[in-house]
Amino acid sequence: MFGLRQKLSLGFGGLLAILLLVSALSLVVLNRYSSALQTFLYENYRSVDYGQQIKDSVDQLDAAARNAMAGRVGSDSAIQAARDSLEANLKNEAGNITLHPREDQLVAELIDTWDQYKPVFESVTNPSTNMTDREQAFEHLHKLSAKVKASAGEVIKINLDNIIVGDGQIQQSANTARTMMYAMTAAGVILAVLFIMILGRTMLRPLQSLTKSVREIEKGNLDLVVQVRSKDEVGQLAEAFNSMTAKLREFRRTDRAKLVRTQRTTQLSVNSLPDGIAIVGPDGKVELANDAAQKLFGLRPDMRLSSVNTKALADLYRKAVTERRTIQARGYDSAIQIFNGQERFYLPTAVPIIDEEGNLAGVTLVLADVTNLRKLDEMKSGMLSVVSHELKTPLTSIRMATHLLLEEKVGSLNPKQQELLIAAREDADRLYQIIENLLDMGRIESGRGLIETRRMRADALIAKAISDVSAAYRDKGVTLESDVADDTPDVLADPERINHVFSNLLNNALAHTPAGGRVRVSAGTDDTNVQFAVEDTGEGIPNEHLGRIFERFYRIPSRSAPGGAGLGLAIAKDIVEAHGGTISVQSVIGDGSRFGFMLPSAHTNMASPSPMSIHT
């Protein structure tokens, strides 16, 4: 009994033998044909070349004769070179006569004509010959030249015809080789078809049966058993296939039980969590949801997330799928409000599930209950507002008192008293500014902080901001420059509020840029928005602080320049977002920082300006 390897060796070995035989015969015939053709073409090419050079040499000699008749003295060396070239090529042609019978006769005529040409040429070019004899000799020379060129041209034509028509012996060899190759090709095809038919019956049919069985398994039919009809490798493969399906049936049974246990355990675990948990597949269908997610948000297994009433969840899911990162709602004001007997607030977070190959397996939606945290935040803000309001009145009195004392309205002061009062006034002014910021933030959060937007030119906003701080920049020796693109559109903005943003950013840049540094204010467009930027060459901000730079009361420790209460950037962020824009920061230690904020252009909102409330 032949195995699969022996069958393959027999089949492909026979085809290899046929291929080697045909190839060997083809090489022999082609080598003979190539050698004969090469010799034939080379000899004819040489004769064509000799004939052409003979014609060229005769043309040179004719030109020399015409110059002599015109009284112009030609170069003896050039004439001698032309004669030598003609005789050398004539000699070479005489030794390279091909198989054509007329070529020998033409070469003899060329030699005879050349022998007649030489004395006549001497008479024409000899200055001592009288003019009458020279004219007769020149006329005779013209006839001999034409005869030489005609004979040489016929030699060229004969050899060119030989190249085109081809030698009969080479043609006969080619026909014989072609016939033999056709015969061997036909024999090879017949044998190959026989081998294929044999292999098809002994190998392909069992493999086709096995392929059909594999496709049945692909459909989930693990109860299929393949019939084993041979003991070769295909039969062994069929036995291994039957063993594999038996193990798969066992794995399916155990995996189903394990999967059921895992699903029940997972469901019980997430149901015990107070927060809403839901797992959404890549197709947007809810695969798993705990009791809180089902009761509060209507997230039930097998339903599409797009059909849920809460649009924010679908937007959060799409963003997590697109960006492949955890997406969390910004701030407590972005929390979803739910009424279920009482008012509750849930802050949604979307966490993408990435498998080992980097593919998206789904998204986990976490709906954290932040009701108590939101209340605490509101209480903190309210308390700050109340405390700030209560402190403002007595602080105003203290500031007025220090101003009156410094103006010496109630008596003169000695230098030490003036120094102490000046320090007290500066601290009181700083405390008053902090209270004003706290009250401003309280008005923003309560919705009472209105902005009056109107159409403004970007360069006008920047020019106003620069004029306010230019003196301070000059005093410190920091260069302040602006760059506004020509195509920058207008924006809808409250000039006072946006000037507050610029003031905060420019004062921060000045505080952290050493003398000799540079600060650049720029504006550009990206079709729908206007991008403002304040870039400095200062000390930069460490990476660990960039994520919290816009938080309230956050100050970077160990800064070289004195800082405020950490409210300026937070208020700037609230103002920019109230205009429908965004603010960001980029920084590298030692290379400076770049604060940028984006506002919608006036072209994107052609409605008349109207007051709007600032919310965070």
Side-chain angles (χ1 to χ4, degrees):
M1 176 65 69
F2 285 108
L4 185 61
R5 179 177 299 175
Q6 288 76 19
K7 293 177 183 178
L8 290 173
S9 300
L10 179 62
F12 291 109
L15 294 176
L16 179 61
I18 296 171
L19 176 62
L20 292 176
L21 181 60
V22 173
S23 299
L25 180 60
S26 300
L27 287 174
V28 171
V29 175
L30 289 175
N31 285 335
R32 290 178 57 192
Y33 176 74
S34 175
S35 177
L37 180 61
Q38 184 177 5
T39 302
F40 171 74
L41 292 176
Y42 181 66
E43 290 178 352
N44 283 275
Y45 170 76
R46 289 172 58 190
S47 294
V48 170
D49 184 53
Y50 296 149
Q52 184 61 44
Q53 292 194 43
I54 289 171
K55 291 176 68 176
D56 293 342
S57 298
V58 169
D59 287 337
Q60 294 177 12
L61 293 174
D62 288 347
R66 287 193 296 272
N67 289 334
M69 290 298 294
R72 294 189 296 270
V73 179
S75 173
D76 293 338
S77 59
I79 294 173
Q80 186 61 39
R83 294 183 64 173
D84 292 343
S85 175
L86 193 148
E87 290 181 350
N89 284 288
L90 189 59
K91 181 180 179 180
N92 290 335
E93 173 57 24
N96 190 54
I97 297 174
T98 58
L99 298 176
H100 199 282
R102 174 145 173 77
E103 188 172 3
D104 192 11
Q105 179 184 352
L106 289 171
V107 172
E109 291 177 359
L110 273 171
I111 295 173
D112 181 61
T113 306
W114 172 244
D115 290 338
Q116 298 176 38
Y117 184 95
K118 287 186 289 185
V120 176
F121 179 80
E122 292 294 338
S123 297
V124 172
T125 57
N126 190 353
S128 61
T129 306
N130 61 61
M131 183 56 65
T132 303
D133 292 340
R134 287 177 71 184
E135 289 178 353
Q136 291 177 356
F138 181 75
E139 184 177 353
H140 188 202
L141 183 70
H142 181 69
K143 294 179 181 179
L144 291 174
S145 173
K147 187 175 181 181
V148 170
K149 288 192 281 187
S151 299
E154 193 166 353
V155 169
I156 294 173
K157 182 177 182 302
I158 287 173
N159 285 277
L160 287 176
D161 290 342
N162 285 343
I163 293 174
I164 295 173
V165 174
D167 186 76
Q169 183 180 359
I170 296 176
Q171 186 68 30
Q172 184 179 358
S173 299
N175 292 335
T176 303
R178 187 181 300 109
T179 302
M180 294 179 65
M181 292 177 68
Y182 284 158
M184 293 301 298
T185 301
V189 170
I190 293 172
L191 290 176
V193 170
L194 292 176
F195 279 121
I196 290 172
M197 291 176 63
I198 295 172
L199 289 175
R201 293 182 63 85
T202 58
M203 292 176 53
L204 298 181
R205 188 171 296 174
L207 290 176
Q208 290 173 353
S209 176
L210 191 59
T211 301
K212 182 178 180 181
S213 301
V214 170
R215 290 184 175 171
E216 287 295 324
I217 288 183
E218 182 183 9
K219 297 176 182 178
N221 184 11
L222 297 181
D223 299 326
L224 186 67
V225 177
V226 179
Q227 298 297 324
V228 181
R229 294 187 175 86
S230 62
K231 298 296 182 181
D232 58 8
E233 286 83 352
V234 177
Q236 296 172 12
L237 180 61
E239 291 178 351
F241 180 82
N242 289 333
S243 176
M244 178 192 69
T245 53
K247 291 181 179 180
L248 285 176
R249 287 193 293 270
E250 179 64 20
F251 287 151
R252 182 174 63 179
R253 185 184 63 81
T254 56
D255 284 350
R256 282 178 176 174
K258 184 178 179 180
L259 181 61
V260 169
R261 290 195 302 271
T262 302
Q263 287 178 338
R264 289 179 178 175
T265 302
T266 303
Q267 188 68 52
L268 291 173
S269 299
V270 297
N271 283 341
S272 64
L273 298 174
D275 297 334
I277 305 292
I279 298 177
V280 185
D283 57 353
K285 283 187 177 181
V286 179
E287 296 179 353
L288 178 68
N290 66 352
D291 291 341
Q294 295 185 36
K295 293 178 181 178
L296 299 174
F297 298 93
L299 296 174
R300 293 179 175 78
D302 296 330
M303 73 176 297
R304 289 201 167 272
L305 188 63
S306 57
S307 63
V308 179
N309 294 331
T310 308
K311 183 177 179 295
L313 293 180
D315 295 339
L316 209 66
Y317 168 80
R318 282 193 295 269
K319 193 171 183 180
V321 170
T322 303
E323 300 182 11
R324 300 291 183 92
R325 65 180 181 87
T326 300
I327 306 297
Q328 186 174 21
R330 298 170 55 187
Y332 296 129
D333 289 338
S334 300
I336 301 173
Q337 186 180 30
I338 297 294
F339 291 95
N340 186 25
Q342 58 180 336
E343 184 183 35
R344 309 293 295 179
F345 293 90
Y346 291 86
L347 192 66
T349 302
V351 182
I353 304 172
I354 308 298
D355 61 17
E356 296 178 353
E357 298 178 356
N359 298 320
L360 183 70
V363 175
T364 300
L365 294 178
V366 181
L367 300 153
D369 188 347
V370 294
T371 304
N372 294 332
L373 294 176
R374 180 184 171 94
K375 290 180 179 179
L376 287 174
D377 187 67
E378 291 176 351
M379 290 173 62
K380 178 197 70 174
S381 299
M383 183 185 67
L384 286 174
S385 179
V386 171
V387 171
S388 300
H389 184 75
E390 293 297 326
L391 288 175
K392 184 176 180 180
T393 300
L395 184 60
T396 301
S397 300
I398 294 173
R399 292 177 68 221
M400 291 179 61
T402 55
H403 280 286
L404 290 174
L405 290 173
L406 286 172
E407 291 175 0
E408 297 184 349
K409 299 291 186 181
V410 293
S412 59
L413 300 173
N414 60 43
K416 186 62 176 178
Q417 290 172 337
Q418 287 183 349
E419 181 180 349
L420 291 174
L421 283 174
I422 290 173
R425 183 184 63 182
E426 291 176 353
D427 289 341
D429 289 343
R430 180 171 172 270
L431 184 59
Y432 184 81
Q433 186 60 46
I434 293 174
I435 292 174
E436 281 294 323
N437 288 336
L438 289 173
L439 291 174
D440 198 12
M441 293 186 70
R443 287 190 293 268
I444 289 174
E445 291 179 348
S446 64
R448 291 182 288 107
L450 298 179
I451 60 175
E452 296 287 343
T453 61
R454 61 176 180 267
R455 189 168 186 143
M456 297 293 300
R457 290 175 51 186
D459 57 350
L461 291 174
I462 292 178
K464 175 64 170 62
I466 289 178
S467 66
D468 291 343
V469 297
S470 57
Y473 271 77
R474 283 195 303 271
D475 293 342
K476 189 174 181 181
V478 177
T479 302
L480 179 60
E481 57 187 25
S482 64
D483 180 15
V484 181
D486 294 336
D487 59 346
T488 304
D490 297 344
V491 295
L492 286 177
D494 185 326
E496 292 185 4
R497 295 284 189 174
I498 296 301
N499 188 65
H500 182 82
V501 175
F502 273 119
S503 176
N504 182 276
L505 298 181
L506 289 172
N507 285 325
N508 280 349
L510 178 63
H512 300 291
T513 302
R518 184 181 302 272
V519 175
R520 177 173 173 267
V521 186
S522 62
T525 180
D526 62 353
D527 295 334
T528 59
N529 299 290
V530 176
Q531 178 72 49
F532 296 92
V534 176
E535 303 173 73
D536 62 64
T537 58
E539 59 196 46
I541 302 171
N543 288 334
E544 60 268 23
H545 300 292
L546 289 177
R548 303 186 60 190
I549 198 71
F550 294 105
E551 291 183 8
R552 301 171 189 175
F553 304 107
Y554 186 79
R555 296 176 60 189
I556 300 176
S558 303
R559 296 286 278 183
S560 59
L567 295 174
L569 289 177
I571 294 176
K573 175 175 175 288
D574 289 341
I575 293 173
V576 170
E577 291 181 350
H579 282 76
T582 58
I583 190 169
S584 61
V585 60
Q586 291 144 10
S587 182
V588 177
I589 292 295
D591 288 341
S593 305
R594 181 185 187 277
F595 284 86
F597 63 93
M598 188 165 52
L599 298 178
S601 68
H603 300 305
T604 62
N605 185 5
M606 300 306 294
S608 58
S610 59
M612 66 176 103
S613 236
I614 302 179
H615 297 280
T616 59

